[in-house]
């Protein structure tokens, strides 16, 4: 079981089956798959399946429970998503912080639930009492209630970002494979660059300091890794060789 397998999305008392289909799609696009339905008002219908689009598998695998307590029985972390702040004594988290807590707990082997309420009335205070913290999407305070599936999408996206950030960097993503160049390696490169600029008569009688300062700033900003320094030094070596050949010809 990987961390995403330990995270379930729980929809309580959903009134529109279409929203359940859209929620299935939302969670599948973000690499999650566990949908739990607590006493939906109506059975899944053709609209639910149409809105699930390619996420029929998630919809069909959805687990049904008669009560929220049953759906959460084995969970060690439960986050309740609310469209407005309530007078329940619960910590209120931003989606990003809630997702970080959820992914950390799932990484430790805990079962985790994110709970979403009914379209019309949200979660009851009794249902919120079953949660360890509330999560509120900081929407327009005068119009803060998102469509149920849209709220599921926002939280699923934050979960995805947190899951990606928690992964070791072997995904071919933004992480770099080569170690950053050391101070000595960069100074070796700058020394060679100065020599090559002389060899190709780049400065043409001007003092080289100003150009070198700008080039240093440029290359330091690039945070070169060892392989990139090697590549640049290879280019300089070839430029040196061409300058020498040109000198011999003259
Ligand atoms: N009128 C209801 C709105 C329910 S919207 C109410 O005021 O509670 C359906 C569900 O979507 C909510 O129960 C909640 O789980 C989720 N949701 C909608 N907007 C949200 C927001 N801004 N932050 C967190 N969850 C939200």
């Amino acid at each position: 079981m990987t961390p995403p397998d330990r995270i379930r999305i729980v929809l309580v008392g959903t009134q529109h089956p279409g929203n359940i289909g859209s929620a299935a799609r939302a969670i599948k696009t973000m690499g999650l798959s566990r949908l739990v339905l607590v006493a939906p008002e109506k059975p899944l219908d053709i609209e639910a399946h149409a809105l699930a689009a390619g996420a029929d598998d998630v919809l069909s695998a959805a687990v049904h429970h008669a009560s929220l307590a049953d759906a959460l029985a084995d969970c060690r972390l439960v986050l309740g998503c609310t469209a407005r702040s309530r007078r329940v004594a619960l910590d209120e988290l931003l989606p990003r912080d809630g997702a970080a807590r959820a992914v950390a707990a799932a990484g430790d082997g805990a079962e985790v639930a994110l709970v979403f309420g009914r379209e019309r009335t949200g979660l009851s205070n009794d249902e919120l009492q079953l949660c360890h913290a509330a999560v509120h999407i900081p929407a327009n305070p005068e119009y803060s209630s998102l469509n149920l599936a849209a709220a599921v999408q926002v939280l699923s996206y934050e979960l995805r970002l947190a899951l990606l950030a928690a992964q070791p960097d072997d995904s071919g993503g933004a992480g770099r494979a080569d170690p950053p160049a050391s101070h000595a390696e960069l100074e070796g490169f700058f020394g060679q660059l100065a020599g090559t600029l002389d060899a190709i008569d780049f400065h043409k009688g001007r003092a080289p300091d100003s150009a070198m300062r700008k080039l240093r700033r440029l290359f330091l900003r690039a945070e070169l890794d060892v392989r990139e320094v090697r590549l640049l030094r290879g280019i300089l070596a070839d430029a040196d060789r061409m300058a020498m050949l040109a000198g011999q010809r003259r």
Side-chain angles (χ1 to χ4, degrees), residues 29-238:
T29 57
M30 296 299 129
L32 300 168
S33 59
R34 290 181 60 197
L35 187 60
V36 175
L37 306 176
V38 175
E41 270 195 13
K42 295 179 202 144
L44 295 176
D45 59 7
I46 188 161
E47 203 197 346
H49 285 277
L51 286 168
D56 269 288
D57 51 342
V58 171
L59 197 57
S60 306
V63 174
H64 289 249
H65 283 288
S67 77
L68 180 56
D70 288 347
L72 304 177
D74 58 338
C75 289
R76 289 223 307 266
L77 178 66
V78 179
L79 301 177
C81 299
T82 58
R84 51 202 153 114
S85 304
R86 310 243 179 175
R87 269 165 287 145
V88 177
L90 276 183
D91 281 352
E92 193 175 280
L93 306 175
L94 289 169
R96 195 146 300 173
D97 301 325
R101 287 240 312 243
V103 167
D108 286 341
E111 285 289 322
V112 175
L114 267 75
V115 184
F116 295 82
R118 299 157 190 82
E119 291 89 333
R120 227 168 330 184
T121 54
L123 293 168
S124 70
N125 283 343
D126 284 350
E127 286 160 347
L128 272 172
Q129 300 287 356
L130 302 177
C131 302
H132 299 114
V135 176
H136 176 67
I137 301 164
N140 176 1
E142 272 123 56
Y143 190 65
S144 67
S145 175
L146 279 75
N147 161 268
L148 169 60
V152 170
Q153 184 77 76
V154 170
L155 266 300
S156 304
Y157 173 64
E158 290 294 343
L159 287 168
R160 175 135 186 103
L161 290 185
L163 285 162
L164 288 174
Q167 246 171 38
D169 225 338
D170 58 0
S171 53
R176 41 169 73 198
D178 294 295
S182 69
H183 178 74
E185 282 159 344
L186 285 170
E187 288 310 316
F189 163 66
F190 288 133
Q192 187 179 354
L193 178 61
T196 303
L197 293 178
D198 277 341
I200 64 174
D201 193 25
F202 175 76
H203 303 297
K204 304 188 182 55
R206 291 172 306 232
D209 300 20
S210 158
M212 274 314 292
R213 254 197 318 275
K214 287 181 186 141
L215 287 166
R216 286 181 72 95
R217 204 183 320 135
L218 166 66
F219 284 113
L220 288 173
R221 193 168 63 222
E223 298 181 358
L224 301 170
D225 63 36
V226 289
R227 196 195 294 256
E228 290 163 338
V229 168
R230 228 179 291 134
L231 174 68
L232 288 169
R233 295 194 70 156
I235 294 170
L236 294 178
D238 276 358

